[in-house]
DNA sequence: TTAGGGTTAG
């Protein structure tokens, strides 16, 4: 695969260049290993270090260990750098093997290094022993011990050591601040912060992040404002990611704009948080702009940034772009594989998700619980019942991953949607964990699809018992009665909602146009162009009628005349957004809409016709999956 | 030795 240059010197250089950039499969690493041996390059410590770091980057840490064990010569610096690599990459179990190997070769790691290691792996007993054995302790050793103690929750002991330190640098103060933050004692963290005489930008950033993690966004904002020009890029990144964590995606984007105005250079980390905001909002235009910015500024696309791009593209319905990023990614970790598998699944490509699942293992990566959630839900969305069943049984027996509630949820969904209601119910009854609202919810959805009203009632009752405050459950129940024309019960249900103060989450759809996100709620008249939109909606309704669309009026809550019901349905938020998109964009442009709830079956069949009549591709992301409407068909093949 | 990052079922 890699051609061999003529002389040894250039072979070493050549290997170093190839190894530096990429990540490899186990097989490829074996080939490089063979080339190093055949080329007699074992004396080149720098090449060997590069090779080892490649192993860690490729998550083949055992291979690195094996390589060191079989090395015929002892290079002390190589042992030390391997230890460093294994610490940095979190491959701590390997460390014990490395440590024994070092001792066999009479190489002794530094005591501070060992203390640091024991602290990181949480072996407090050994850390204490090491610390006690050190005759001369400097501030570095003290700080390492403080972090070891605080990691183990021995906060008082850490504080005691800190109070008695002869010398404290800013790292000592900052460790204590982060430690209190991590343990949730934000008040003490703040008093440490206030007492710190050598406050630096790290102290401020640690405190801001502490407030964010404690869900005190206002306090974080206050410090952020007070910092003024002392803010660095980490400060901005902390605030942007904080907004994303608190689901304030719009604010995250606004903060990024401010950051640019203030001329602070965005980093890879900035882009990762922003892409996550785009993924949640379904803001493809901004996401594409960020991808372009990354390319223009030559930011490094590592596994984390790559994953953020993959996730953004698949959550915005551009699965092809997601695959493109995935294929070009030199370094892929389990997150990247999980994202692309889940992305293919929600976009309706269950078969491809299965292919990638196989490929992932060929490349030596072990699937985890998240992988199986994506895989099973992919099988479910594509109706691949037998494959789903097989993976569900194999996940424990072959892959050693114990199924948790999410996996059972996928299976209930898979069986229920496929019409195997009895089996789905059996699974709910026998599963070793208590079924939650989501599990009952997918069973209910299956009842609706397959019109099993008897089972529905039972399921709804379970849902209401479990979560009497979730408005969605009452809507399910109400819709169920409405579909049976039992309007007295519908009204009773509405009354219970009012009495208990339960509200239904309003359906809301958004569409991005020229960098602006337009939001629509059913029956909403706030939009500036609402008059034109309504006229256009009437025009669409006419077209729909001409093309034989009959409104499915079963899903409307109120007991009203049929004609009126039809109007209520034709103005569901996704339709308003699509109408607005159609009238505001040039012919042929793809329309992308994001909806917070599931799209109803009536809108679904209407959108199929609209895509054909107006010759537009329409992509709707609803609460759980994508619908790509094109030429009168949907990618879900009406199975959702 | 101290601060900021990504994937999870209806």
């Amino acid at each position: 695969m890699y051609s061999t240059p003529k002389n040894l010197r250039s072979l070493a250089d050549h290997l170093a260049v190839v190894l530096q950039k990429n990540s490899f499969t186990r097989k490829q690493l074996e080939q490089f290993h063979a080339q190093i041996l055949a080329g007699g390059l074992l004396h080149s410590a720098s090449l060997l270090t590069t090779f080892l770091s490649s192993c860690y980057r490729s998550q083949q840490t055992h291979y690195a260990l094996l390589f060191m064990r079989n090395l015929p010569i002892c290079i002390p610096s190589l042992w030390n750098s391997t230890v460093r690599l294994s610490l940095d990459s979190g491959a701590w179990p390997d460390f014990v093997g490395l440590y024994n190997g070092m001792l066999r070769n009479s190489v002794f790691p530094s005591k501070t290094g060992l203390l640091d290691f024991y602290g990181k792996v949480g072996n407090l007993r050994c850390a204490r022993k090491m610390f006690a054995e050190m005759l001369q302790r400097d501030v570095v050793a003290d700080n390492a011990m403080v972090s070891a103690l605080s990691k183990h929750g021995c906060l008082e002991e850490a504080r005691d050591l800190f109070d008695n330190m002869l010398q404290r640098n800013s790292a000592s103060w900052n460790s204590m601040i982060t430690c209190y933050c991590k343990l949730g004692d934000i008040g003490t963290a703040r008093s440490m912060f206030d007492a710190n005489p050598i406050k630096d930008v790290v102290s401020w950033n640690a405190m801001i992040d502490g407030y964010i993690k404690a869900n005190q966004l206002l306090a974080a904002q206050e410090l952020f404002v007070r910092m003024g020009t002392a803010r660095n890029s980490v400060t901005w990144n902390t605030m942007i990611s904080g907004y994303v964590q608190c689901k304030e995606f719009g604010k995250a984007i606004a903060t990024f704009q401010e950051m640019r105005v203030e001329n602070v250079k965005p980093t890879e980390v900035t882009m990762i948080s922003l892409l996550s905001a785009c993924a949640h909002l379904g803001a493809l235009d901004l996401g594409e702009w960020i991808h372009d910015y990354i390319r223009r500024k030559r930011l490094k696309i590592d596994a984390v940034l790559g994953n953020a791009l993959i996730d953004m593209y698949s959550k915005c319905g551009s699965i092809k772009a997601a695959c493109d990023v995935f294929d070009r990614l030199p370094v892929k970790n389990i997150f990247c594989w999980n994202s692309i598998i889940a992305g293919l699944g929600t976009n309706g490509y269950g078969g491809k998700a299965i292919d990638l699942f196989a490929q992932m293992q060929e490349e030596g990566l072990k699937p985890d619980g998240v992988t199986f959630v994506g895989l099973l839900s992919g099988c479910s969305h594509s109706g691949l019942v037998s494959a789903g069943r097989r993976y569900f049984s194999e996940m424990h027996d072959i892959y050693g991953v114990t199924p948790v509630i999410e996996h059972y949820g996928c299976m209930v969904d898979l069986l229920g949607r496929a019409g195997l209601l009895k089996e789905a119910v059996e699974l709910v009854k026998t599963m070793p964990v208590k079924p939650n609202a989501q599990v009952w919810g997918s069973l209910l959805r299956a009842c609706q699809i397959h019109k099993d009203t008897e089972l529905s009632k039972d399921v709804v009752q379970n849902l209401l018992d479990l979560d009497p405050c979730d408005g969605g459950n009452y809507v399910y129940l109400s819709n169920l009665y409405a579909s049976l024309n039992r309007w007295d019960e519908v009204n009773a249900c509405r009354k219970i909602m009012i009495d208990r103060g339960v509200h239904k989450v309003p359906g809301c759809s958004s569409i991005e146009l020229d960098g602006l996100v337009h939001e629509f709620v059913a029956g909403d008249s706030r939009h500036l162009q609402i008059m034109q939109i309504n006229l256009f909606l009437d025009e669409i309704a006419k077209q729909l009628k001409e093309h034989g669309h009959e409104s499915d009026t079963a899903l409307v809550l109120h007991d009203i005349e049929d004609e009126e019901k039809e109007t209520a349905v034709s103005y569901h938020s996704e339709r308003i957004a699509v109408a607005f998109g159609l009238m505001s964009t040039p012919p042929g442009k793809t329309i992308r809409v994001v909806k917070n709830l599931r799209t109803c079956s009536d809108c679904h069949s209407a959108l199929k016709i609209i895509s054909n009549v107006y010759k537009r591709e329409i992509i709707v992301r609803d609460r759980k999956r994508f619908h790509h409407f094109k030429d009168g068909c949907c990618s879900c093949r009406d199975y959702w």
Side-chain angles (χ1 to χ4, degrees), chain A residues 275 287 290-292 294 301 304-315 321-322 325 329:
Chain A
L275 285 168
I290 292 169
H291 193 180
D292 194 52
I294 291 167
I301 302 187
V304 184
L305 184 51
N307 176 57
L309 281 167
I310 293 165
D311 186 47
M312 182 277 291
Y313 277 125
S314 37
K315 291 220 169 89
V325 173
L329 211 55

Side-chain angles (χ1 to χ4, degrees), chain A residues 286-492:
Chain A
L286 181 59
E288 280 175 338
W289 182 88
I290 292 169
H291 193 180
D292 194 52
Y293 182 93
I294 291 167
R295 282 188 284 237
R296 277 202 319 268
K297 302 285 173 188
R298 296 177 192 280
L299 295 183
K300 195 171 169 285
I301 302 187
D302 65 357
V304 184
L305 184 51
N307 176 57
L309 281 167
I310 293 165
D311 186 47
M312 182 277 291
Y313 277 125
S314 37
K315 291 220 169 89
C316 289
S318 279
I319 190 64
K320 205 188 153 296
C323 291
D324 237 40
V325 173
F326 180 80
D327 289 338
R328 285 163 200 243
L329 211 55
V331 189
K332 301 180 181 83
N333 63 17
I334 184 90
F335 280 75
C336 308
W337 286 95
N338 288 349
S339 292
I340 195 72
I341 288 172
L344 285 165
T346 43
N347 279 279
Y349 300 96
K352 282 196 185 153
I354 290 175
D355 291 345
L356 266 120
F357 177 71
Q359 202 184 321
M360 151 181 198
Q361 290 161 77
E362 279 165 26
E363 305 210 357
L365 263 114
K366 244 187 81 174
D368 64 6
V370 181
T371 321
F372 283 102
V373 171
L375 186 67
L376 292 175
S377 83
C379 290
S380 178
H381 286 306
S382 297
L384 304 169
V385 178
S386 58
R389 273 202 179 113
R390 194 178 72 238
Y391 290 123
F392 185 65
S393 72
E394 282 181 0
M395 66 181 278
H396 180 261
D397 299 347
I398 295 183
Y399 301 97
V401 179
T402 308
V404 294
I405 187 110
E406 284 87 350
H407 303 109
Y408 286 101
C410 289
M411 283 315 284
V412 170
D413 184 51
L414 176 103
L415 296 168
R417 264 203 263 207
L420 303 164
L421 287 170
K422 264 193 186 155
E423 253 183 274
V425 171
E426 196 51 35
L427 184 59
V428 172
K429 280 188 185 152
T430 56
M431 54 198 255
V433 270
K434 191 171 175 270
N436 60 11
Q438 254 175 311
V439 171
W440 288 113
S442 43
L443 197 53
L444 185 62
R445 174 78 198 148
C447 293
Q448 281 178 347
I449 296 172
H450 299 286
K451 308 214 183 315
D452 189 332
T453 42
E454 270 316 298
L455 183 57
S456 289
K457 278 190 262 174
D458 187 35
V459 175
V460 170
Q461 200 48 57
N462 273 297
L463 268 169
L464 289 180
D465 290 347
L466 209 62
D467 197 352
C469 293
D470 183 349
N473 296 337
Y474 293 89
V475 175
Y476 280 136
L477 186 61
S478 186
N479 283 342
L480 170 70
Y481 289 131
S483 68
L484 299 171
N485 278 318
R486 285 159 62 173
W487 302 105
D488 288 345
E489 273 119 327
V490 171
N491 286 333

Side-chain angles (χ1 to χ4, degrees), chain A residues 472-628:
Chain A
N473 296 337
Y474 293 89
V475 175
Y476 280 136
L477 186 61
S478 186
N479 283 342
L480 170 70
Y481 289 131
S483 68
L484 299 171
N485 278 318
R486 285 159 62 173
W487 302 105
D488 288 345
E489 273 119 327
V490 171
N491 286 333
C493 190
R494 284 168 53 81
K495 191 170 176 309
I496 298 173
M497 282 176 78
I498 294 165
D499 290 348
R500 295 190 185 168
V502 179
H503 297 284
K504 172 189 181 287
V505 179
C508 171
S509 298
S510 60
I511 180 167
E512 191 191 10
L513 216 78
D514 299 325
L516 265 179
V517 176
H518 300 256
E519 269 191 352
F520 297 96
V521 179
D524 187 5
S525 54
R526 282 174 307 174
H527 197 274
L528 286 174
Q529 285 163 274
I530 193 67
M531 298 283 279
Q532 291 97 310
I533 298 172
N534 280 335
L535 284 174
F536 193 56
L537 276 164
D538 289 343
E539 151 81 24
I540 293 176
K542 237 184 267 168
Q543 290 282 354
L544 286 173
K545 213 161 222 160
E546 272 175 36
H547 287 81
H549 175 72
E550 274 188 30
S551 289
D552 175 3
T553 47
L555 294 174
V556 188
L557 273 168
H558 314 271
D559 179 16
I560 42 179
E561 293 305 311
D562 268 4
E563 199 180 326
E564 234 181 299
K565 269 191 260 179
E566 200 170 308
T567 321
V569 173
S570 67
Y571 288 86
H572 264 168
S573 65
E574 57 267 54
R575 275 221 243 165
I576 310 176
V578 167
F580 177 67
L582 280 174
M583 55 187 259
S584 318
T585 54
K589 175 132 171 84
T590 301
I591 310 261
R592 294 166 188 278
V593 169
V594 178
K595 190 184 180 185
N596 64 338
L597 304 174
R598 273 181 169 278
T599 185
C600 78
S601 58
D602 185 64
C603 286
H604 191 266
S605 62
L607 288 172
K608 283 198 291 187
I609 298 173
I610 294 172
S611 75
N612 201 23
V613 172
Y614 293 89
K615 293 285 166 255
R616 292 281 196 118
E617 194 174 342
I618 301 168
I619 301 177
V620 177
R621 179 179 98 177
D622 77 8
R623 200 174 156 77
K624 282 299 154 194
R625 69 164 294 153
F626 282 94
H627 300 274
H628 297 247

Side-chain angles (χ1 to χ4, degrees), chain A residues 19-20 33 47 53 71 79 99 106 116 191 247 285 295 309 320 345 361 375 433 477 508 528 541 561 576 579 585:
Chain A
L19 285 167
Q20 248 160 27
H33 191 169
L47 175 62
S53 63
L71 212 58
W79 280 104
Y99 185 51
S106 309
D116 182 30
S191 45
K247 302 200 182 301
D285 285 356
R295 282 188 284 237
L309 281 167
K320 205 188 153 296
Q361 290 161 77
L375 186 67
V433 270
L477 186 61
C508 171
L528 286 174
E561 293 305 311
I576 310 176
T585 54

Side-chain angles (χ1 to χ4, degrees), chain A residues 31-268:
Chain A
Q31 284 172 6
F32 286 125
H33 191 169
Q35 278 192 319
I36 290 171
L37 290 178
L41 296 172
L42 284 175
H43 61 276
S44 168
S46 72
L47 175 62
L48 299 188
T49 311
T50 311
F51 175 75
L52 285 163
S53 63
S54 244
C55 296
Y56 283 100
R57 195 183 319 120
S58 314
Q59 305 200 323
Q60 302 284 347
T61 61
H62 284 289
Y63 197 72
L65 186 59
L66 195 77
F67 178 82
M68 285 306 290
R69 279 208 190 118
N70 293 324
L71 212 58
I73 47 173
C74 174
I75 308 172
S77 67
L78 198 59
W79 280 104
N80 283 318
S81 57
T82 314
V83 167
R84 201 62 271 153
L85 283 165
S86 98
L87 282 182
D88 289 345
S89 65
W92 295 328
D94 289 355
F95 179 85
V96 181
L98 282 171
Y99 185 51
N100 290 332
M102 284 175 94
L103 295 184
R104 267 200 305 278
N105 284 284
S106 309
V107 181
F108 299 100
S110 77
K111 285 217 162 78
T112 313
L114 274 175
L115 175 57
D116 182 30
F117 165 74
Y118 288 126
K120 278 191 170 148
V121 299
N123 189 337
L124 196 59
R125 202 177 53 86
C126 290
R128 279 212 181 96
K129 187 163 163 269
M130 198 54 62
F131 189 65
E133 278 174 11
M134 292 171 81
L135 296 175
Q136 279 188 317
R137 292 172 201 149
D138 55 4
V139 65
V140 177
D142 283 343
N143 284 348
M145 194 62 216
V146 167
S147 344
L149 287 165
S150 56
K151 197 157 278 167
H152 228 79
C154 303
L155 194 52
E156 274 175 29
E157 222 180 318
R159 180 62 185 264
D160 205 42
L161 179 58
F162 173 83
D163 286 342
N164 288 308
M165 274 164 74
L166 294 175
Q167 239 193 329
R168 288 181 207 117
N169 57 16
S170 56
S172 327
W173 282 95
N174 295 336
S175 300
M176 290 308 296
I177 294 171
T178 31
C179 175
Y180 282 114
C181 284
K182 276 191 185 129
L183 293 171
D185 186 353
I186 197 85
T188 314
R190 180 57 189 258
S191 45
M192 282 304 267
F193 174 80
D194 289 332
N196 181 0
I198 37 177
K199 263 198 267 302
D200 57 8
V201 64
V202 178
S203 329
W204 285 85
N205 293 345
M207 200 61 229
I208 290 176
D209 190 52
Y211 278 126
I212 286 167
K213 298 270 151 64
N215 249 323
Q216 299 184 25
L217 203 50
L218 283 177
Q221 273 169 325
E222 198 212 310
L223 282 189
F224 180 75
V225 171
R226 256 181 61 196
M227 273 180 88
T229 51
R231 294 180 279 223
N232 66 5
S233 67
V234 175
T235 323
W236 287 94
N237 293 343
T238 307
M239 214 53 223
I240 292 172
S241 89
Y243 282 127
V244 173
Q245 283 165 45
C246 300
K247 302 200 182 301
E248 299 265 12
F249 307 116
K251 281 191 184 159
I253 292 166
T255 307
F256 168 66
Q257 315 283 25
E258 237 181 285
M259 177 181 186
R260 297 197 74 208
V261 171
E262 302 225 342
N263 263 325
V264 182
K265 236 176 141 182
T267 67
E268 284 84 354

